[in-house]
Amino acid sequence: MVAPEYYLLLAAAVFCIGLFGVLTRREALYFLMSVELMLNAANINFVAFSAYYGDLTGQVFSLFVIALAAAEVAIGIGIILVLYRNFGVTDVTVPRGMRW
């Protein structure tokens, strides 16, 4: 069995890559992919601790996070399509304010 420290190190690396992507990217698709990386890092932690402690609670939480990520992608793609239709770009810094 692999030690949980390796899973935690992997999850921390994936989370940091996702956080770097959220903080530095301006394109909406890259932003969504970075958020997905952060959610997957949380899933790695849930499953690692679930295996370490021998219960299924972490895996159940992981399934909920996967469902949340699917809903987030569906809403995010809709927002990106509206952003592209209204402004012609997917850069999240272009729209400065809400408009009707």
Side-chain angles (χ1 to χ4, degrees):
M1 182 173 167
V2 179
E5 292 86 15
Y6 294 114
Y7 291 117
L8 296 178
L9 186 64
L10 174 67
V14 171
F15 188 84
C16 287
I17 291 169
L19 184 64
F20 179 76
V22 165
L23 294 176
T24 60
R25 298 291 182 162
R26 296 188 315 179
E27 293 293 321
L29 286 175
Y30 292 128
F31 189 81
L32 278 177
M33 286 190 291
S34 298
V35 171
E36 290 294 322
L37 281 174
M38 293 169 68
L39 289 173
N40 283 331
N43 282 339
I44 292 170
N45 280 331
F46 284 143
V47 172
F49 282 117
S50 176
Y52 182 72
Y53 289 116
D55 63 351
L56 295 176
T57 307
Q59 294 177 9
V60 171
F61 277 118
S62 181
L63 288 174
F64 283 123
V65 171
I66 290 171
L68 177 79
E72 178 254 335
V73 166
I75 299 295
I77 294 292
I79 291 171
I80 290 171
L81 289 174
V82 169
L83 182 70
Y84 185 75
R85 184 174 23 159
N86 287 339
F87 296 102
V89 295
T90 58
D91 188 356
V92 294
T93 61
V94 169
R96 295 284 179 198
M98 301 291 284
R99 67 180 203 189
W100 296 96

